[in-house]
Amino acid sequence: MAEESKPLDLTKYIVREAPPTVYYIPEFVTESEQADLLKQVYSAPKPKWTQLSGRRLQNWGGLPHPKGMVQDKLPPWLLKHATYLGKLPVFKGKAPNHVLVNEYEPGQGIMPHEDGPLFFPVVSTISLGSHTLLDFYHPLKKNTESQVTTLQDRYFMSLLLEPRSLLLLTEDLYTSYLHGIEGRAHDIFTTDIVNREQCKLSKELGSTLIRSTRISLTIRHVPKILNVKVKLRR
């Protein structure tokens, strides 16, 4: 990770072939930082994991809720990165206070979705261990005269997220489009990958990328916090 004395110049990392605005920063964390983060994730107490049908995850900082989040302190190993990211101009002074840790085994993914209004409209994701393809879709238009479209009809681009990279989604790309990960064990390097020129992986078009286990750290700011004081009974 870049030193705090040397903040990122995000203008160098804009993916200009995508709608506004996405920043892709390869090799954001070092190999030793990646190893330490993975060690911390897998050292978490077993109750910290939540098992879903297609993956498992950890919540740090609290559970976001429409009525507000009861905030917990982030552990030091996550606070370090959240503090650094919060100083980037895209967060506009809103310090990240929540981290979602997702584990994806090969063949696992997540359905296309929006991150929604529970969060400040910036999502930052650090990828660890493996690459993945993050796919983007146009939202379903409410027009009774139009023909029914499939999800694939609405697909329009992908981003290759390499191990140790940082992704920042902001503006229209956060608010106006769906994103998801298709559950498969490998990906094909094609022209649909709009950040391919910024990737460090040297791959030819048509080549195959084999997935392994990936951990994603999704670091966000939850604006609505509940001030709850827990009273202990004696």
Side-chain angles (χ1 to χ4, degrees):
M1 185 178 69
E3 296 294 334
E4 290 192 21
S5 60
K6 298 179 181 179
L8 287 172
D9 178 5
L10 290 181
T11 60
K12 299 192 300 183
Y13 300 102
I14 295 175
V15 181
R16 302 193 182 278
E17 293 77 9
T21 299
V22 55
Y23 305 90
Y24 179 74
I25 301 95
E27 299 179 345
F28 175 71
V29 297
T30 65
E31 291 187 3
S32 62
E33 285 175 321
Q34 174 179 245
D36 182 64
L37 285 167
L38 289 171
K39 180 180 178 181
Q40 295 287 353
V41 167
Y42 286 110
S43 297
K46 189 173 182 180
K48 195 68 182 176
W49 287 100
T50 299
Q51 183 68 54
L52 303 181
S53 58
R55 67 192 188 286
R56 62 176 185 158
L57 57 83
Q58 301 174 8
N59 263 291
W60 295 93
L63 291 173
H65 190 275
K67 293 183 179 180
M69 182 174 76
V70 178
Q71 188 172 9
D72 293 329
K73 290 183 178 180
L74 292 174
W77 58 278
L78 289 175
L79 183 62
K80 168 187 174 182
H81 297 279
T83 300
Y84 179 83
L85 292 175
K87 295 179 179 179
L88 297 178
V90 292
F91 276 100
K92 299 180 181 179
K94 305 292 186 182
N97 55 8
H98 180 263
V99 181
L100 186 66
V101 177
N102 277 295
E103 180 192 59
Y104 296 94
E105 298 285 358
Q108 294 181 336
I110 184 170
M111 289 292 293
H113 62 282
E114 297 176 347
D115 281 9
L118 292 183
F119 305 98
F120 181 74
V122 175
V123 58
S124 57
T125 302
I126 298 173
S127 294
L128 305 171
S130 175
H131 83 279
T132 198
L133 282 191
L134 187 64
D135 303 321
F136 288 82
Y137 304 84
H138 294 285
L140 186 62
K141 294 181 180 180
K142 295 180 180 180
N143 185 345
T144 56
E145 296 180 0
S146 63
Q147 294 181 346
V148 176
T149 58
T150 66
L151 185 62
Q152 194 57 38
D153 291 332
R154 293 186 278 131
Y155 166 83
F156 69 98
M157 73 171 197
S158 295
L159 295 170
L160 176 60
L161 309 186
E162 299 166 288
R164 302 193 289 118
S165 68
L166 169 67
L167 179 74
L168 297 167
L169 296 181
T170 70
E171 299 177 327
D172 284 355
L173 203 57
Y174 179 96
T175 58
S176 302
Y177 300 95
L178 307 179
H179 57 272
I181 297 172
E182 188 171 335
R184 56 183 175 236
H186 67 275
D187 301 290
I188 306 298
F189 197 76
T190 71
T191 55
D192 289 333
I193 300 172
V194 296
N195 67 325
R196 61 189 181 279
E197 297 298 327
Q198 294 162 274
C199 293
K200 294 297 183 179
L201 287 174
S202 179
K203 294 292 181 181
E204 296 182 357
L205 290 176
S207 59
T208 300
L209 305 176
I210 305 299
R211 293 185 189 179
S212 56
T213 300
R214 172 176 174 262
I215 292 290
S216 67
L217 308 180
T218 302
I219 302 171
R220 294 175 285 200
H221 174 77
V222 178
K224 194 171 183 179
I225 300 298
L226 291 177
N227 293 320
V228 177
K229 293 183 180 180
V230 179
K231 293 183 179 181
L232 297 178
R233 293 183 178 179
R234 294 185 178 181

